[in-house]
Short mmCIF file of all heavy atoms in Angstrom, two decimals:
data_model
loop_
_atom_site.label_atom_id
_atom_site.label_comp_id
_atom_site.label_asym_id
_atom_site.label_seq_id
_atom_site.Cartn_x
_atom_site.Cartn_y
_atom_site.Cartn_z
N VAL A 100 87.55 93.52 88.20
CA VAL A 100 88.76 92.78 88.53
C VAL A 100 89.21 92.01 87.30
O VAL A 100 88.40 91.36 86.62
CB VAL A 100 88.54 91.78 89.68
CG1 VAL A 100 89.79 90.94 89.94
CG2 VAL A 100 88.13 92.50 90.95
N VAL A 101 90.50 92.08 87.02
CA VAL A 101 91.12 91.33 85.93
C VAL A 101 92.14 90.39 86.56
O VAL A 101 92.90 90.80 87.45
CB VAL A 101 91.81 92.28 84.93
CG1 VAL A 101 92.59 91.50 83.89
CG2 VAL A 101 90.79 93.20 84.28
N LEU A 102 92.16 89.14 86.11
CA LEU A 102 93.09 88.17 86.67
C LEU A 102 94.32 88.02 85.79
O LEU A 102 94.20 87.80 84.59
CB LEU A 102 92.41 86.82 86.83
CG LEU A 102 91.13 86.81 87.67
CD1 LEU A 102 90.57 85.40 87.75
CD2 LEU A 102 91.37 87.38 89.06
N ALA A 103 95.50 88.13 86.40
CA ALA A 103 96.77 87.79 85.74
C ALA A 103 97.13 86.42 86.28
O ALA A 103 97.47 86.28 87.46
CB ALA A 103 97.84 88.83 86.06
N ARG A 104 97.06 85.40 85.41
CA ARG A 104 97.15 84.01 85.86
C ARG A 104 98.30 83.27 85.23
O ARG A 104 98.84 83.66 84.21
CB ARG A 104 95.86 83.27 85.49
CG ARG A 104 94.65 83.92 86.11
CD ARG A 104 93.68 83.01 86.75
NE ARG A 104 94.25 81.98 87.59
CZ ARG A 104 93.60 80.89 87.94
NH1 ARG A 104 92.38 80.67 87.49
NH2 ARG A 104 94.14 80.00 88.73
N LYS A 105 98.61 82.13 85.83
CA LYS A 105 99.61 81.23 85.27
C LYS A 105 99.04 80.60 84.00
O LYS A 105 97.82 80.54 83.82
CB LYS A 105 99.97 80.15 86.29
CG LYS A 105 100.71 80.74 87.47
CD LYS A 105 101.09 79.69 88.48
CE LYS A 105 101.84 80.34 89.62
NZ LYS A 105 102.19 79.41 90.67
N PRO A 106 99.90 80.13 83.11
CA PRO A 106 99.43 79.58 81.82
C PRO A 106 98.42 78.45 81.98
O PRO A 106 98.50 77.63 82.89
CB PRO A 106 100.72 79.06 81.18
CG PRO A 106 101.81 79.86 81.80
CD PRO A 106 101.35 80.11 83.21
N GLY A 107 97.44 78.46 81.06
CA GLY A 107 96.47 77.39 81.00
C GLY A 107 95.29 77.54 81.94
O GLY A 107 94.44 76.66 82.00
N LYS A 108 95.20 78.63 82.67
CA LYS A 108 94.12 78.81 83.65
C LYS A 108 92.96 79.66 83.14
O LYS A 108 91.89 79.65 83.72
CB LYS A 108 94.66 79.46 84.93
CG LYS A 108 95.78 78.70 85.59
CD LYS A 108 95.27 77.45 86.23
CE LYS A 108 96.38 76.76 87.01
NZ LYS A 108 95.93 75.55 87.65
N LEU A 109 93.18 80.43 82.07
CA LEU A 109 92.14 81.30 81.52
C LEU A 109 91.56 80.68 80.26
O LEU A 109 92.31 80.22 79.39
CB LEU A 109 92.72 82.69 81.23
CG LEU A 109 93.20 83.47 82.45
CD1 LEU A 109 93.95 84.73 82.02
CD2 LEU A 109 92.04 83.82 83.36
N PRO A 110 90.23 80.65 80.12
CA PRO A 110 89.59 79.90 79.05
C PRO A 110 89.52 80.59 77.69
O PRO A 110 89.37 79.92 76.67
CB PRO A 110 88.18 79.67 79.59
CG PRO A 110 87.93 80.84 80.47
CD PRO A 110 89.26 81.16 81.09
N ALA A 111 89.61 81.91 77.64
CA ALA A 111 89.47 82.62 76.36
C ALA A 111 90.86 82.98 75.82
O ALA A 111 91.89 82.61 76.38
CB ALA A 111 88.61 83.86 76.54
N THR A 112 90.89 83.73 74.72
CA THR A 112 92.15 84.13 74.09
C THR A 112 92.96 84.99 75.05
O THR A 112 92.41 85.90 75.68
CB THR A 112 91.87 84.92 72.79
OG1 THR A 112 91.04 84.10 71.95
CG2 THR A 112 93.15 85.24 72.06
N VAL A 113 94.25 84.71 75.17
CA VAL A 113 95.10 85.41 76.13
C VAL A 113 96.31 86.05 75.46
O VAL A 113 96.68 85.69 74.34
CB VAL A 113 95.62 84.44 77.23
CG1 VAL A 113 94.48 83.87 78.04
CG2 VAL A 113 96.49 83.34 76.65
#
Side-chain angles (χ1 to χ4, degrees):
V100 175
V101 174
L102 304 180
R104 301 226 45 199
K105 292 180 179 178
K108 302 288 185 179
L109 296 171
T112 305
V113 298

